[in-house]
Amino acid sequence: MAQEELFHPPKDLVENSNIKAFMDKHGIADLDALLEKAQDHDWYWGEQARELEWFKPWDKVLDDSKAPFFKWFTGGKFNIVHNCLDRHMKTDVKDKIAYIYESEPGEVERWTYEQLHKEVNKFANALKKLGVKKGDRVTLFMPMIPQNPVAMLACAKIGAVHSVVFSGFSAGSLRDRLLDADSKVLITADGAYRRGKVVPLKHNADAAMAEAPCCKHCIVFKRAGNEVPMTEGRDVWWHDLVEGASDECEPEPMDSEDMLYMLYTSGTTGKPKGIVHVHGGYAVGTYSTLKFVFDLKPDDVYWCAADIGWVTGHSYIVYAPLMNGATSILYEGAPNWPEPDRLWQIIAREKATILYTSPTAIRMFMRFGEDYPKKHDLSSLRLLGSVGEPINPEAWRWYRENIGGGKLQIMDTWWQTETGNFMISPLPITPLKAGSATRPLPGIKADVVTQDGQPAKPGENGLGVLLKPWPAMLRTIYGDPDRYVQTYWSRFPGKYLMGDSVMKDSDGYFWFRGRVDEVLNVAGHRLGTAEVESALVAHRDVAEAAVIGVPHPVKGDVPKAYVTLKVGVEKTDALKDELKKWVGDQIGKIAQPDSIEFRDKLPKTRSGKIMRRLLKAEALGQDVGDTSTLEE
Ligand code: PRX
């Protein structure tokens, strides 16, 4: 790894950047001085918050009296949707394009801010008609279509809490999330296009709702035109519900700390965690980090090529770009459909200026080769971004060379569902190192510690921690505040545990190595090994299962399963295939083990815990290390 090679930002990028303008305004000379000054959180976050519109200003920037249950901008009255839409109706942004939407089959729609505002208002009024009130949970299970942000924004506008479930999840996963959130309403579509096929969303939604009696209503958007059964009294078509609804709707004045949404993510147990975000601080954090890191300017055409079902889509396709009045691209389908140059085609046609994607996507494009991007004029691009997993220097260089014309800076943003916004990331003024997320952003304080909590030495691998709260941080785990304290704040009191292995070099640059807990990162998606194990043991033939992550050239990690079968069950390849499919049906395709091995026994400690570490060492051909706790 050539860790010492620095990629300096070009002068015009630095001189014209939003962050430089902010520094000039406050007489700050350089990045070090900025990072230092921004540790004054009242000042830094207060400055950012003042750029948004508040119904009533806050009394206090940070209330840490009940740490780690931190509160931000207390006493303030605010609604994030007012800042995404309503306030723009008084400016030129009203007529600007909010979303350039392209469906997988190729239709293009251009939604202005005014149009989006009206559609959100209509749908918000429709939700009210169904009896949805402030604080109610509404689950979304939708394709990547403009109605997905419309539904999220409509919920938030009236103070309802959305819980978006990635549309690739199975009926069982959806059911668990409906039940955990105690959702009253489910919003879905008849189907979604993926690689030319229709994914039967409503079909999965029906199976989930059959076992989730809390869910009283289902709103169905007609997207794919596939035949779907509608249950009388429960299901209603989106178009019927909004028919005649007014296109005016005042935003609900929320307390800064009122819940905006919950989003499930994988942890170390079989039960996903509902991460809770709130209106005020989340708005301030996402708005300001996007403005500074991707340097949004009024004429940018910005493309965050993530899925709205994950936090990247929530923060950086929906809320932050809209608060910034940006024009974004929204694409429904697979990036390599029908050909591996779909993204490049769209960038060239729309003259996109910013592309933000994942290392998995970049490695996939690398495999397809340079000829695909070469066929298209990508010269409109001015900044690139990466998120979701460590980017290996080889992929970093390929991205800069082949997509960035050999000269574009790459914003490698490290953050999590829990953090809400970018935390450790370059700014346009930061010199880059290939494969490093560089340094903490202004207002963020991070470090690397050893197993016993002491600061790690430069160059030493350790555990990543955050030393200060930040406005967009998670507030709790839905319905489980103890788990919140336990997971993030108990290992090293006063420090937030990231769950990542990290090295900080002698320049203070952070190098992320991957997760340290039982969480895999499969193609940028978090997956708990325990979730896969519980799906496997739910199969009639399986006695025990252990799942580990093994490296994969494109996807980062892939799950590998070790399974012991019940007595008398034959070990066949057909059963392996059946088990893979079973896991896909139980959780979703992303969780399917890449390979399965049958074993007569799994290695266990004397107290009966499966030692996954040994299986992993064996799979990777490494030394198995200390085996003194092994039972036999
Ligand atoms: O391991 C880190 C990895 O993704 C985890 C968070 O996953 P999730 O909550 O699904 O959010 C993903 C999108 C923000 C982290 O604990 N990760 C995320 N970004 C990076 C990263 N690892 C290395 N470099 C990154 N830029």
Side-chain angles (χ1 to χ4, degrees):
M1 229 187 249
Q3 291 181 0
E4 292 318 314
E5 189 182 355
L6 281 179
F7 296 83
H8 287 279
K11 197 156 174 275
D12 63 327
L13 177 68
V14 173
E15 289 305 315
N16 297 314
S17 65
N18 293 339
I19 194 70
K20 177 78 167 34
F22 177 78
M23 287 157 68
D24 289 349
K25 181 173 161 206
H26 295 282
I28 298 169
D30 56 28
L31 182 56
D32 285 327
L34 171 66
L35 298 181
E36 172 82 33
K37 183 160 166 62
Q39 288 303 319
D40 175 354
H41 50 257
D42 280 357
W43 171 75
Y44 182 73
W45 295 116
E47 281 295 312
Q48 304 313 320
R50 264 186 281 281
E51 292 187 16
L52 298 174
E53 273 187 15
W54 295 74
F55 302 132
K56 176 176 169 283
W58 59 92
D59 302 323
K60 222 173 162 194
V61 172
L62 169 64
D63 174 359
D64 56 5
S65 59
K66 297 207 172 63
F69 296 94
F70 297 97
K71 292 182 177 170
W72 288 86
F73 305 103
T74 49
K77 286 279 183 189
F78 184 87
N79 188 305
I80 196 169
V81 181
H82 173 81
N83 281 278
C84 289
L85 297 173
D86 300 64
R87 72 172 174 141
H88 299 315
M89 296 305 112
K90 297 171 284 190
T91 72
D92 292 347
V93 177
K94 181 178 172 194
D95 298 319
K96 201 178 156 174
I97 304 292
Y99 289 117
I100 301 166
Y101 162 65
E102 177 156 319
S103 72
E104 197 183 75
E107 300 100 332
V108 178
E109 292 174 14
R110 290 168 204 278
W111 286 54
T112 64
Y113 272 84
E114 185 183 25
Q115 191 183 351
L116 184 62
H117 179 242
K118 285 189 171 158
E119 291 303 319
V120 167
N121 288 347
K122 280 199 230 167
F123 195 65
N125 287 325
L127 287 174
K128 283 188 190 167
K129 220 164 36 180
L130 274 190
V132 177
K133 292 194 190 59
K134 181 174 171 177
D136 286 345
R137 274 82 54 213
V138 175
T139 296
L140 274 68
F141 189 59
M142 296 187 78
M144 283 281 290
I145 55 176
Q147 286 71 23
N148 192 338
V150 167
M152 292 164 76
L153 294 160
C155 288
K157 190 159 203 181
I158 64 172
V161 172
H162 60 71
S163 164
V164 177
V165 177
F166 174 57
S167 59
F169 275 121
S170 67
S173 296
L174 176 61
R175 172 203 59 215
D176 293 348
R177 287 157 176 76
L178 281 168
L179 288 171
D180 187 72
D182 193 19
S183 277
K184 200 166 164 176
V185 176
L186 175 64
I187 306 171
T188 188
D190 49 359
Y193 280 99
R194 195 76 189 172
R195 296 205 159 77
K197 289 204 197 86
V198 174
V199 183
L201 289 185
K202 174 62 163 60
H203 176 81
N204 290 347
D206 281 333
M209 282 187 292
E211 294 172 10
C214 55
C215 191
K216 304 287 184 232
H217 300 284
C218 179
I219 305 170
V220 189
F221 183 77
K222 202 182 217 76
R223 161 71 194 99
N226 49 318
E227 198 63 39
V228 295
M230 297 288 278
T231 301
E232 183 77 36
R234 186 195 68 185
D235 300 350
V236 52
W237 288 106
W238 175 300
H239 54 262
D240 288 337
L241 192 66
V242 296
E243 168 100 30
S246 158
D247 61 10
E248 283 174 29
C249 172
E250 285 303 310
E252 182 74 26
M254 307 292 281
D255 286 340
S256 305
E257 283 292 312
D258 276 338
M259 227 171 128
L260 167 63
Y261 70 76
M262 52 203 288
L263 179 59
Y264 287 91
T265 189
S266 294
T268 49
T269 71
K271 188 175 184 290
K273 307 178 277 198
I275 302 297
V276 171
H277 285 293
V278 301
H279 273 255
Y282 176 81
V284 173
T286 53
Y287 162 78
S288 58
T289 47
L290 184 62
K291 175 187 66 177
F292 287 143
V293 171
F294 284 113
D295 195 39
L296 284 183
K297 298 286 162 42
D299 50 3
D300 271 316
V301 177
Y302 158 82
W303 190 0
C304 168
D307 193 288
I308 293 177
W310 311 108
V311 74
T312 308
H314 281 58
S315 296
Y316 297 109
I317 296 178
V318 181
Y319 290 110
L322 295 175
M323 279 187 281
N324 276 282
T327 296
S328 293
I329 294 176
L330 188 69
Y331 168 58
E332 179 188 32
N336 53 347
W337 182 267
E339 291 292 326
D341 63 347
R342 186 70 183 259
L343 258 52
W344 321 132
Q345 209 176 48
I346 297 174
I347 289 172
R349 190 191 68 222
E350 298 300 334
K351 300 198 170 34
T353 56
I354 301 167
L355 175 68
Y356 183 36
T357 184
S358 68
T360 288
I362 296 161
R363 289 190 293 261
M364 180 185 81
F365 292 126
M366 261 173 93
R367 241 184 17 174
F368 293 130
E370 287 83 61
D371 290 348
Y372 287 103
K374 268 206 194 106
K375 280 202 284 189
H376 302 276
D377 177 7
L378 304 181
S379 62
S380 55
L381 287 171
R382 66 179 197 92
L383 267 181
L384 301 176
S386 170
V387 63
E389 352 150 33
I391 178 162
N392 47 313
E394 192 196 358
W396 194 98
R397 287 168 193 275
W398 187 91
Y399 193 26
R400 179 170 161 109
E401 198 51 45
N402 294 285
I403 310 304
K407 58 178 198 286
L408 296 189
Q409 295 295 90
I410 299 172
M411 304 295 115
D412 175 8
T413 61
W414 179 90
W415 59 297
Q416 305 174 304
T417 307
E418 291 87 340
T419 69
N421 61 214
F422 310 146
M423 300 296 282
I424 298 178
S425 162
L427 288 159
I429 59 172
T430 311
L432 307 178
K433 298 185 187 187
S436 168
T438 76
R439 304 170 68 185
L441 287 173
I444 305 301
K445 196 168 184 184
D447 204 0
V448 179
V449 298
T450 59
Q451 296 292 335
D452 48 10
Q454 298 307 309
K457 291 196 232 17
E460 189 183 357
N461 280 329
L463 302 170
V465 287
L466 296 165
L467 303 178
K468 254 174 98 78
W470 61 101
M473 65 192 295
L474 78 163
R475 295 308 193 260
T476 189
I477 292 174
Y478 189 75
D480 202 348
D482 292 343
R483 190 173 177 197
Y484 164 71
V485 178
Q486 188 58 35
T487 309
Y488 305 106
W489 299 97
S490 66
R491 172 108 189 236
F492 308 117
K495 298 186 176 90
Y496 169 96
L497 186 71
M498 297 172 179
D500 277 36
S501 165
V502 197
M503 183 273 277
K504 197 168 71 168
D505 70 17
S506 50
D507 294 329
Y509 276 48
F510 286 67
W511 297 80
F512 285 90
R513 308 295 198 203
R515 301 285 305 187
V516 289
D517 48 16
E518 304 291 337
V519 175
L520 311 183
N521 196 328
V522 183
H525 305 315
R526 259 162 83 171
L527 179 70
T529 51
E531 287 171 74
V532 186
E533 288 166 1
S534 37
L536 283 166
V537 296
H539 189 277
R540 63 174 189 281
D541 292 341
V542 174
E544 281 185 312
V547 171
I548 60 164
V550 291
H552 182 275
V554 174
K555 296 181 185 170
D557 284 331
V558 286
K560 169 167 186 174
Y562 295 86
V563 169
T564 61
L565 296 172
K566 291 198 176 142
V567 181
V569 178
E570 221 184 308
K571 298 177 186 134
T572 61
D573 285 344
L575 181 55
K576 283 186 188 171
D577 291 342
E578 183 182 322
L579 290 176
K580 285 184 197 172
K581 182 167 179 306
W582 168 264
V583 173
D585 292 344
Q586 296 283 306
I587 306 176
K589 255 206 167 120
I590 54 163
Q592 270 186 355
D594 199 54
S595 60
I596 294 182
E597 271 186 40
F598 293 131
R599 291 284 166 99
D600 293 327
K601 261 185 187 164
L602 295 174
K604 286 192 191 156
T605 63
R606 271 167 242 166
S607 56
K609 270 188 160 179
I610 297 173
M611 293 180 80
R612 293 179 191 79
R613 177 171 68 75
L614 296 189
L615 293 167
K616 186 151 182 162
E618 185 206 77
L620 303 184
Q622 295 165 344
D623 179 17
V624 293
D626 179 13
T627 54
S628 54
T629 54
L630 190 63
E631 190 195 6
E632 50 176 287

